[in-house]
Amino acid sequence: MDKFIIEGGHTLTGDVHISGAKNAVLPIMAASLLWPDRYVLHNVPDLRDTHTMAHLLEIIGASISFEAGSMQIDTTACRNPEAPYELVKTMRASFYVLGPLLARFGKCRVSLPGGCNWGPRPVDLHLKAIESLGASISLDSGYILAEGRLRGATIDFDIRSVGATGNALMAAVLAEGETILTNAAEEPEITALAYFLQKMGAQIEGIGTSTLHVRGQKELHGTEDEIVADRIEAGTFLIAGALAGDGVRIAGVCEDHLTLVLHKLEATGTELRRRDGLIEVSRAAEIHPVDIVTTPYPGYPTDLQAQWIALMTQADGSCIVQDNIYRDRFAHVPELIRLGAQIRLEGNAVTVLGPTELIGAPVMSTDIRASASLVLAALAAQGTSEISRVYHLDRGYEAFEKKLAGLGAHIERVPASL
Ligand code: EPZ
């Protein structure tokens, strides 16, 4: 397993370009299963997760080519509506194939994803949604068997769920009649999925809101699309700039997707300048402590919670970071404490005492965003840190260490074999 060696204390400056969004390309790739045709995607990030999803589509029968950020998908030969456990257990987003496979083939067998490092990740909302559309669901040795002709329905989500909204939306576009989704997720990645489905010929109204109206179609067709910029990668680099930056210029950011994050950064005293579509970020002389509570979009994203804690270790005072989406998403806290952070965990919130001097040490990644948080803290630490199990980070960040080194960070990847 590869690791990173980071020598902290170096200022970041210069230009970095944000890649396409992992959480948009994964459902969009799944959507190509809905109709046998050819699809071309641009600005696709080269991530472990995009390769995992490509492998899953190939197991189902698609043929895929992927180079230089463009991906061609041909789903005309798909015959095997099944997503195996060996693959689904490595990436929860594999569950996105449930809706499209059921809509196209009338039945499918998809492994339950199981848990992750921060606890159970239920799929009850996904299953309730497709049952509302007329599917019959049964459990067969850890696999969901879904079968039935889909008919339009009203689906009221009890809580906001990105994945369940995506699965329900994809199933609904081929269901007979009209489907209304209420309390649907409004994340930009779901909006991107909805626009992609529209380009495939789906009839969807209310895109970008929490109420989606779908009129089922008998036919769809292939299309071409550009993947939206990754707001979580952009937020990660903004926080890196707030920690150690002097003129970090971030290109390719969709500012509208980060409104609250930008406001929170400004409240810390971080210097943000917008020009020519770039955001330039520099560390403040004094970083003010700012509380955050994660909530569904457009609230503060849970995927930037760990990174915010790293920043708050340098704030002049204490603050509270609360995660209302995943109450246990704090595996990064003990690792940050190894670097010298002073953090107290109580329930689904932490109190971060700052400023603390961070000292380089060996630490271990536990999930995608926890890994990013450890890298950010190591950049701000004195001395050398070693971050193990960076395969977690490779799932969701494209060429992360190269982008950081391009900004002046002293970061090196040590391949597992050495
Ligand atoms: C998506 O996961 C993202 N993944 C996650 O990003 C992100 O953290 C999450 O949304 C929240 O924004 C992808 O888009 C591939 P949810 P998802 O369904 O769809 C509960 C990353 O780092 N819930 O919106 O699985 C759930 O437990 C990843 O890129 C149910 O109770 O998240 C959570 O508390 C990590 N039942 C809340 O809803 C369900 O059936 C929101 O989860 C589904 C979810």
Side-chain angles (χ1 to χ4, degrees):
M1 290 183 258
D2 291 6
K3 59 188 176 187
F4 284 158
I5 307 291
I6 297 173
E7 185 188 281
H10 298 277
T11 299
L12 305 180
T13 188
D15 297 298
V16 63
H17 190 83
I18 299 306
S19 302
K22 167 178 84 78
N23 293 348
V25 72
L26 295 177
I28 284 172
M29 288 172 73
S32 71
L33 293 169
L34 274 166
W35 197 261
D37 208 337
R38 289 170 184 76
Y39 304 80
V40 180
L41 305 178
H42 301 291
N43 196 34
V44 176
D46 184 4
L47 306 170
R48 276 170 67 97
D49 278 10
T50 34
H51 288 282
T52 300
M53 183 61 87
H55 182 44
L56 175 55
L57 296 188
E58 287 169 337
I59 289 172
I60 294 167
S63 54
I64 295 185
S65 67
F66 180 21
E67 57 187 64
S70 282
M71 180 181 281
Q72 283 77 33
I73 306 174
D74 182 337
T75 59
T76 48
C78 289
R79 293 283 178 282
N80 172 33
E82 175 151 341
Y85 175 58
E86 297 63 41
L87 205 141
V88 175
K89 70 180 178 184
T90 68
M91 182 181 70
R92 174 186 168 81
S94 310
F95 208 65
Y96 266 134
V97 303
L98 175 71
L101 290 178
L102 179 59
R104 174 167 166 185
F105 294 102
K107 63 178 182 181
C108 63
R109 187 170 183 268
V110 178
S111 169
L112 278 169
C116 72
N117 280 306
W118 66 77
R121 301 277 299 275
V123 290
D124 55 309
L125 298 173
H126 298 242
L127 301 180
K128 199 172 147 206
I130 59 167
E131 278 182 316
S132 306
L133 292 170
S136 61
I137 304 277
S138 59
L139 184 61
D140 166 33
S141 324
Y143 281 77
I144 291 296
L145 297 182
E147 192 160 0
R149 268 175 65 76
L150 301 182
R151 288 179 309 283
T154 295
I155 299 171
D156 302 312
F157 287 109
D158 297 335
I159 58 168
R160 291 279 176 97
S161 163
V162 172
T165 301
N167 249 327
L169 189 55
M170 289 189 277
V173 298
L174 283 179
E176 208 175 303
E178 182 166 351
T179 296
I180 298 175
L181 303 181
T182 66
N183 200 23
E186 295 176 293
E187 272 69 2
E189 297 76 26
I190 290 298
T191 297
L193 169 65
Y195 282 127
F196 181 78
L197 291 168
Q198 248 184 2
K199 290 175 81 169
M200 286 178 63
Q203 297 291 316
I204 304 171
E205 286 169 21
I207 295 177
T209 75
S210 61
T211 302
L212 298 171
H213 290 251
V214 183
R215 238 190 314 286
Q217 301 301 298
K218 292 201 180 325
E219 287 190 5
L220 298 169
H221 51 75
T223 188
E224 188 161 355
D225 204 10
E226 173 100 7
I227 301 301
V228 66
D230 191 319
R231 64 190 167 100
I232 304 302
E233 183 195 18
T236 304
F237 276 103
L238 283 164
I239 294 171
L243 256 177
D246 179 11
V248 173
R249 286 185 299 280
I250 304 174
V253 187
C254 191
E255 264 196 67
D256 295 349
H257 296 164
L258 285 163
T259 307
L260 185 58
V261 176
L262 291 166
H263 287 172
K264 289 287 184 182
L265 278 170
E266 282 161 348
T268 67
T270 298
E271 214 182 292
L272 293 173
R273 281 213 294 271
R274 284 98 159 158
R275 58 168 176 226
D276 317 329
L278 300 175
I279 300 183
E280 183 171 308
V281 52
S282 296
R283 175 174 174 144
E286 183 181 299
I287 299 173
H288 308 312
V290 173
D291 298 345
I292 62 158
V293 179
T294 72
T295 55
Y297 190 87
Y300 189 94
T302 175
D303 292 348
L304 287 173
Q305 174 257 96
Q307 299 91 319
W308 191 261
I309 291 177
L311 175 61
M312 288 296 103
T313 65
Q314 302 309 300
D316 288 345
S318 68
C319 74
I320 294 176
V321 175
Q322 182 173 316
D323 200 322
N324 284 354
I325 305 282
Y326 296 113
R327 303 179 58 82
D328 305 321
R329 192 179 190 172
F330 295 103
H332 39 283
V333 168
E335 300 302 316
L336 290 167
I337 289 171
R338 284 183 50 73
L339 294 170
Q342 290 188 39
I343 306 171
R344 196 173 56 246
L345 174 59
E346 283 160 38
N348 66 320
V350 295
T351 301
V352 186
L353 303 175
T356 48
E357 192 191 4
L358 301 180
I359 309 292
V363 288
M364 185 177 79
S365 304
T366 51
D367 60 76
I368 305 176
R369 310 304 172 181
S371 316
S373 159
L374 296 177
V375 171
L376 298 185
L379 292 172
Q382 290 308 317
T384 303
S385 298
E386 183 177 292
I387 301 182
S388 60
R389 304 191 180 185
V390 293
Y391 63 84
H392 287 291
L393 188 126
D394 294 337
R395 288 190 50 197
Y397 288 93
E398 184 179 43
F400 195 52
E401 78 274 18
K402 292 191 178 90
K403 292 186 179 184
L404 281 170
L407 293 173
H410 289 207
I411 179 171
E412 183 198 356
R413 178 186 291 260
V414 176
S417 50
L418 299 188

